[in-house]
């Protein structure tokens, strides 16, 4: 009895989701209106290298020096 209700409940849920998907195919949603958000020009800020970038450059320089030294 409870198994039958569970199967019928899941089947009903599947049917309703399938019907909703079919309805969306034939009646697509309307375009959402754009909210009046003021748009500004992007700020021109200089990009600063991060500490990780400078660490990578120094490691690359050390590795290059080792290769040049040991051949």
């Amino acid at each position: 009895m409870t198994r039958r209700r569970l199967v019928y409940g899941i089947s009903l849920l599947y049917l309703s989701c399938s019907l909703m998907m079919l309805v969306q195919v034939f009646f697509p949603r309307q375009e959402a209106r754009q909210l009046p958000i003021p748009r500004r020009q992007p700020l021109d800020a200089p990009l600063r290298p991060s500490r990780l970038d400078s660490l990578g450059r120094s490691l690359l320089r050390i590795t290059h020096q080792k290769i040049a030294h040991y051949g």
Side-chain angles (χ1 to χ4, degrees):
M1 184 72 169
T2 57
R3 182 180 290 178
R4 181 181 290 177
R5 284 187 182 186
L6 180 67
V7 169
Y8 281 137
I10 292 173
S11 299
L12 194 67
L13 179 67
Y14 181 78
L15 178 68
S16 62
C17 290
S18 301
L19 289 176
M20 287 302 293
M21 286 177 22
L22 284 173
V23 165
Q24 287 180 2
V25 168
F26 293 113
F27 301 108
R29 293 184 186 176
Q30 292 179 353
E31 293 283 331
R33 282 190 339 185
Q34 290 288 335
L35 294 176
I37 299 173
R39 295 184 185 256
R40 295 182 290 179
Q41 292 293 330
L43 298 175
D44 256 348
L47 295 176
R48 293 181 292 164
S50 65
R51 292 186 66 198
L52 230 92
D53 189 38
S54 62
L55 177 67
R57 279 195 306 257
S58 62
L59 285 176
L60 184 67
R61 188 175 57 240
I62 291 170
T63 306
H64 180 69
Q65 287 173 354
K66 282 183 185 178
I67 291 172
H69 180 69
Y70 293 112

